[in-house]
Amino acid sequence: DGGITQSPKYLFRKEGQNVTLSCEQNLNHDAMYWYRQDPGQGLRLIYYSQIVNDFQKGDIAEGYSVSREKKESFPLTVTSAQKNPTAFYLCASSASGTGGYEQYFGPGTRLTVT
Amino acid sequence: GESVGLHLPTLSVQEGDNSIINCAYSNSASDYFIWYKQESGKGPQFIIDIRSNMDKRQGQRVTVLLNKTVKHLSLQIAATQPGDSAVYFCAESWRDDKIIFGKGTRLHILP
């Protein structure tokens, strides 16, 4: 089956620790994205990558970092610098990052930091 | 800045009736629009899309209407079922840019 996987589904961390969220896709998509969703809110773009070894900041990149060493993988690290990291994190991919293509979403990772 | 918004945060519809979810967009240069459905605790799921050279597109039980004159997008769901309960997001994109999502409308189905 083709699709996007995110792991784990639930993640718990202590304040001050960095944590890395996994995102893998086997759709052969060039572009990948990370969003954050807070309760009752829409999606806010953290980082996106239009091609391997390249990525750009989204609207709320502070306190986050990413890498894109492989086409199928786009891990997100939530650093201790992120002031309010507890949220639902969604990864997506699209055939192209140049607009005009739908994004396919993973099931999400719910991160809780205490 | 440019943004996508929704008229109603919550919509309650009787089972079997048609649902209409509305969305306003402010960027007249937007040329691609998408509707997503998100069930609780899950990622958004693509429903239907439309490009700016069209004003109507139909899928299975869903229709998207685009009115570029007033920058309005709507999603019509025919014969609403309990499984349609979810939050629905509209999204827009233009030229070589990323997709911008609206805040979402929650669709509640009444028995």
Side-chain angles (χ1 to χ4, degrees):
Chain A
D1 285 336
I4 302 178
T5 57
Q6 291 184 244
S7 61
K9 188 170 177 63
Y10 299 96
L11 192 54
F12 298 88
R13 279 294 183 271
K14 295 290 186 185
E15 195 174 316
Q17 293 179 333
N18 291 355
V19 59
T20 297
L21 281 59
S22 167
C23 178
E24 303 278 331
Q25 54 98 1
N26 60 4
L27 299 167
N28 200 33
H29 284 170
D30 285 325
M32 296 187 74
Y33 310 80
W34 273 106
Y35 294 90
R36 170 185 172 132
Q37 187 176 35
D38 293 286
Q41 300 293 314
L43 306 178
R44 292 188 289 170
L45 183 64
I46 304 173
Y47 266 100
Y48 64 105
S49 168
Q50 295 180 313
I51 198 167
V52 175
N53 293 322
D54 186 46
F55 49 83
Q56 289 81 40
K57 293 182 179 180
D59 301 319
I60 54 165
E62 185 175 349
Y64 299 98
S65 65
V66 294
S67 62
R68 187 85 188 277
E69 298 176 1
K70 298 185 296 182
K71 187 175 186 178
E72 57 271 21
S73 179
F74 190 41
L76 172 75
T77 297
V78 184
T79 74
S80 57
Q82 168 50 234
K83 297 286 186 256
N84 186 19
T86 295
F88 189 47
Y89 290 88
L90 287 159
C91 179
S93 71
S94 66
S96 170
T98 56
Y101 292 89
E102 69 189 81
Q103 292 182 8
Y104 293 79
F105 284 84
T109 292
R110 188 167 299 279
L111 173 65
T112 302
V113 176
T114 57
Chain B
E2 303 291 357
S3 65
V4 173
L6 291 167
H7 295 306
L8 298 174
T10 304
L11 178 66
S12 295
V13 175
Q14 204 75 38
E15 183 179 346
D17 288 351
N18 296 337
S19 301
I20 300 175
I21 302 171
N22 296 304
C23 176
Y25 65 95
S26 56
N27 187 349
S28 57
S30 293
D31 57 9
Y32 180 59
F33 304 87
I34 313 168
W35 280 101
Y36 285 93
K37 172 186 179 182
Q38 186 178 25
E39 297 177 67
S40 182
K42 297 182 179 179
Q45 178 185 5
F46 171 86
I47 301 173
I48 192 168
D49 60 0
I50 188 168
R51 299 192 185 275
S52 58
N53 61 351
M54 302 173 68
D55 53 21
K56 180 179 180 179
R57 189 158 189 233
Q58 289 185 291
Q60 186 177 12
R61 273 202 313 120
V62 294
T63 301
V64 55
L65 298 177
L66 175 63
N67 185 331
K68 294 182 285 295
T69 302
V70 295
K71 300 196 204 92
H72 185 267
L73 191 69
S74 69
L75 176 70
Q76 299 178 4
I77 304 173
T80 309
Q81 304 169 358
D84 294 327
S85 287
V87 175
Y88 291 81
F89 293 95
C90 65
E92 63 176 320
S93 74
W94 57 92
R95 293 187 303 133
D96 295 338
D97 213 333
K98 52 193 178 292
I99 292 177
I100 304 298
F101 290 85
K103 284 185 168 48
T105 292
R106 181 173 301 281
L107 179 62
H108 176 61
I109 311 303
L110 302 168

